Amino acid sequence: KIDNLWHLIHSPSAGTTDMRYATAMAGPYKPPASPNIDTPLLYAAKRMFDGKRHIIHGWIRDLGGDIDGGDFQWGGDLCVAREVYAGADGQLLFRPAPEIVSVFGKTLTDLAAPPVDTPITVPDNYMLEATIQLPKDGQVAINFREQSTPRSGYRLILRADKQEATFQGATFDYPRHVALDTSKPIQIHAFVQGSIIEAFINDAYAFTCRAYDLRSGALTFRTLQGDTKIEHAVIKSP
């Protein structure tokens, strides 16, 4: 229970872990505008509560053969601990726990107005903090571990015109509705670690993918539509 609403997080036998809300514990429960708490890679999320904060952990699915196109397996690695808080209209929102962010205390690269469509050299594992200004019709891709071609790697795509975001790779595409307020800059947190990439939009929406096939590569901000400005980008390591 948060404020005057009850929230139910559940994991069906197939598909994503999702959420419902109700005004009474007995229900009826209904979905918010964006009912999935992440991509289908996050599963069996469990909530913990210390009297002050709600924190969830779930596992990031292993994929068969340890390849990006492998079948979903039962089990995996625990995700970054996520603080859960209430948004509008029954929506639960998720941000990386501050204790996790604080682990990445060493700044490797700090770019004011980083280049668009130009690869940035980064280590294999890192945390990204970025600020992006999107127009109402804008679309931008953040390419992680990009190779020699612009659409390679793992692409977190924000589509302000469709109020949607997705994580894409050569073998997957995980779109869903998100609320993108283009009147203010959009904040991105991303954790690129081994075979897992976890990204957070505005400390509210989580998008996770497995990254078995590509363990290194450049970081590139690519404009797909509209006059997008990358205002700031910081690369950090523990």
Side-chain angles (χ1 to χ4, degrees):
K1 188 174 188 291
I2 302 178
D3 299 327
N4 64 338
L5 292 179
W6 292 87
H7 300 271
L8 177 68
I9 294 177
H10 65 107
S11 302
S13 59
T16 63
T17 299
D18 57 19
M19 67 186 95
R20 301 287 188 271
Y21 72 98
T23 56
M25 185 168 61
Y29 284 83
K30 55 186 178 180
S34 186
N36 300 332
I37 72 172
D38 203 321
T39 71
L41 270 291
L42 180 73
Y43 196 74
K46 299 294 186 289
R47 183 211 61 144
M48 300 170 284
F49 185 55
D50 64 358
K52 298 179 181 179
R53 295 189 300 168
H54 300 273
I55 301 288
I56 67 162
H57 260 306
W59 36 262
I60 308 302
R61 294 180 187 271
D62 291 332
L63 300 180
D66 290 347
I67 58 174
D68 291 347
D71 295 336
F72 286 177
Q73 303 293 298
W74 185 256
D77 300 283
L78 282 178
C79 70
V80 163
R82 298 159 184 206
E83 188 173 336
V84 187
Y85 64 103
D89 301 321
Q91 186 75 54
L92 287 179
L93 304 174
F94 304 87
R95 58 192 170 210
E99 293 90 341
I100 301 297
V101 176
S102 67
V103 169
F104 293 81
K106 182 180 179 181
T107 298
L108 304 177
T109 305
D110 190 335
L111 299 172
V116 176
D117 298 321
T118 301
I120 300 166
T121 300
V122 292
D124 295 345
N125 304 290
Y126 59 92
M127 182 183 75
L128 167 69
E129 296 174 333
T131 304
I132 299 171
Q133 186 64 64
L134 269 175
K136 289 182 179 180
D137 65 343
Q139 294 189 14
V140 66
I142 305 172
N143 288 24
F144 300 97
R145 295 181 175 169
E146 184 178 86
Q147 305 300 299
S148 58
T149 56
R151 292 185 177 271
S152 62
Y154 305 99
R155 309 170 72 221
L156 178 68
I157 300 175
L158 283 63
R159 301 176 176 129
D161 57 330
K162 297 181 178 180
Q163 291 292 288
E164 177 185 88
T166 188
F167 226 153
Q168 286 183 354
T171 61
F172 60 83
D173 188 2
Y174 301 131
R176 79 178 194 271
H177 168 79
V178 298
L180 296 173
D181 182 359
T182 57
S183 69
K184 59 187 72 173
I186 293 169
Q187 306 296 325
I188 302 294
H189 256 119
F191 300 85
V192 181
Q193 302 180 95
S195 68
I196 298 173
I197 302 175
E198 297 176 70
F200 297 83
I201 301 170
N202 281 337
D203 278 347
Y205 301 98
F207 283 79
T208 299
C209 77
R210 276 288 184 179
Y212 287 113
D213 295 354
L214 303 173
R215 298 302 184 104
S216 64
L219 170 71
T220 310
F221 298 94
R222 294 203 175 275
T223 299
L224 305 180
Q225 182 173 295
D227 184 19
T228 300
K229 294 180 175 62
I230 313 303
E231 296 185 347
H232 196 197
V234 181
I235 307 297
K236 295 183 176 182
S237 69

